[in-house]
Amino acid sequence: GEVSATPEPNESEYLSPVSIGGQTLNLDFDTGSADLWVFSTSLSSSSIGQHAAFDPSKSSTWEDYPGASWQIMYGDGSGASGTVGFDVVEVGGATASRQAVEIATKVSSSFVSDVNNDGLLGLGFSKINTIEPQPQKTFFESVLPKLDQPVFTADLEDDAAGTYEFGRVDTTKYTGMLHVTPVDSSNGFWEFASTAYSIGGTTYQNSGASTAIADTGTSLLLVDDNVAQAFYAQVQGSQLSRTAGGYVYPCSAQVPDFGVQIGSSGFIATIPGSDITFAEVGQGTCFGGVQGNGGGGIQIFGDVLLKQYFAVFNGGNESFGIAAK
Ligand SMILES: O=C([C@@H]1CCCNC1)N1CCCCC1
């Protein structure tokens, strides 16, 4: 079958309604991690706040996973942990009849304050699932055998609802060709080669990081530090601000187009300069959507890039494809 779930955009995340044991929660679909975890009634009421909280005792299909636990720490320092069970999980129209669901008994403050999301649905590879004693499948891996095509697509929009579909590629959603690159899943990510970039239409070789991951759960476009430095060298008045946590510039500055290579085929995915500003940080100063990755070996291509394109994640042949839309 094929299904679609329409995420509600909120600032920097795309949320989709997910039914777990008949209870609906808004989860952040994250191709950069592989845990499906939810706010639960085991949390303190001050942690739950406005969030929807899953209550296993109210699900007739819930099954405990005795002795199992999970604990995740994201690259931005946020994290959560808790216990595990299995339940029926339904997204759009695809159903995983016995999906591992991770119950949060602890969540970090940034999740408490992000009142729009009630947890995460990881769409990375299950080798990085954090459940002990045995990692469990992601929702996508659970439903894969039942899908017409072993794929899911992400069609993220700027401040408007985007769409995730499982099991089909809606060719009416994009124009021109899909640029497809093989994925190396050995680190658990949708990771591919990326050794070139472009600024204002001129292409350069990336002497630093040589790979990148497609991460729908990251808002920004995190490139090799040398690449970020080269980009902002062409933005008048820009500076690396420790207080802002990255490169900022006068909101009136002229921002050049920026592109990154997707795979080794030579395709450069470009973002118009006018779409690169991520936020105003006050006093006419703007925070850029392109930032350095802090020296890690991989680059993290998040929503700043992905929302410009239609993306196809193929779990059958392990490839990643994007097309203009
Ligand atoms: O934790 C993360 C991100 C955080 C935002 C949500 N996606 C996962 N990482 C990025 C990929 C490399 C490992 C760290």
Side-chain angles (χ1 to χ4, degrees), residues 204-225:
Y204 306 88
Q205 288 310 306
N206 181 344
S207 58
S210 60
T211 67
I213 71 166
D215 183 4
T216 57
T218 286
S219 321
L220 303 177
L221 176 54
L222 305 178
V223 295
D224 182 72
D225 288 339

Side-chain angles (χ1 to χ4, degrees), residues 19-232:
S19 168
I20 303 172
Q23 300 172 41
T24 300
L25 291 85
N26 285 327
L27 303 187
D28 182 1
F29 283 24
D30 177 16
T31 58
S33 66
D35 285 47
L36 193 173
W37 70 262
V38 291
F39 271 74
S40 80
T41 46
S42 307
L43 286 164
S44 65
S45 55
S46 58
S47 292
I48 295 174
Q50 308 296 313
H51 293 272
F54 178 67
D55 184 349
S57 72
K58 294 218 171 52
S59 166
S60 59
T61 43
W62 177 259
E63 179 193 331
D64 277 333
Y65 181 173
S69 65
W70 62 283
Q71 177 176 18
I72 196 161
M73 182 64 74
Y74 296 103
D76 55 7
S78 62
S81 62
T83 55
V84 189
F86 300 92
D87 211 336
V88 177
V89 174
E90 197 258 323
V91 174
T95 299
S97 52
R98 191 174 175 275
Q99 173 65 39
V101 175
E102 301 169 40
I103 296 295
T105 55
K106 284 184 192 163
V107 294
S108 65
S109 57
S110 61
F111 284 114
V112 175
S113 49
D114 182 359
V115 294
N116 295 290
N117 92 28
D118 307 320
L120 263 75
L121 188 143
L123 290 169
F125 294 85
S126 54
K127 68 180 310 172
I128 56 172
N129 174 267
T130 71
I131 294 173
E132 296 287 348
Q134 177 72 27
Q136 300 296 308
K137 285 181 181 168
T138 66
F139 171 78
F140 177 51
E141 287 166 354
S142 299
V143 297
L144 200 53
K146 293 189 279 188
L147 297 178
D148 293 342
Q149 295 175 53
V151 301
F152 67 89
T153 63
D155 183 9
L156 305 185
E157 302 292 340
D158 194 18
D159 295 336
T163 304
Y164 284 88
E165 275 201 271
F166 291 84
R168 68 185 284 260
V169 179
D170 182 348
T171 55
T172 69
K173 291 282 179 98
Y174 64 87
T175 60
M177 63 178 281
L178 264 177
H179 300 274
V180 180
T181 174
V183 154
D184 170 2
S185 62
S186 57
N187 292 322
F189 304 118
W190 294 88
E191 187 169 2
F192 46 82
S194 181
T195 57
Y197 63 98
S198 70
I199 301 174
T202 303
T203 299
Y204 306 88
Q205 288 310 306
N206 181 344
S207 58
S210 60
T211 67
I213 71 166
D215 183 4
T216 57
T218 286
S219 321
L220 303 177
L221 176 54
L222 305 178
V223 295
D224 182 72
D225 288 339
N226 304 303
V227 173
Q229 187 178 10
F231 177 68
Y232 286 104

Side-chain angles (χ1 to χ4, degrees), residues 215-296:
D215 183 4
T216 57
T218 286
S219 321
L220 303 177
L221 176 54
L222 305 178
V223 295
D224 182 72
D225 288 339
N226 304 303
V227 173
Q229 187 178 10
F231 177 68
Y232 286 104
Q234 300 202 29
V235 181
Q236 298 299 321
S238 67
Q239 58 180 344
L240 183 49
S241 159
R242 245 176 303 287
T243 49
Y247 286 94
V248 296
Y249 47 84
C251 296
S252 56
Q254 182 72 26
V255 180
D257 296 350
F258 180 65
V260 285
Q261 189 175 26
I262 305 291
S264 41
S265 71
F267 173 63
I268 303 260
T270 304
I271 306 158
S274 55
D275 284 347
I276 285 183
T277 295
F278 180 72
E280 276 203 60
V281 291
Q283 280 76 38
T285 301
C286 277
F287 186 84
V290 176
Q291 296 292 343
N293 66 357

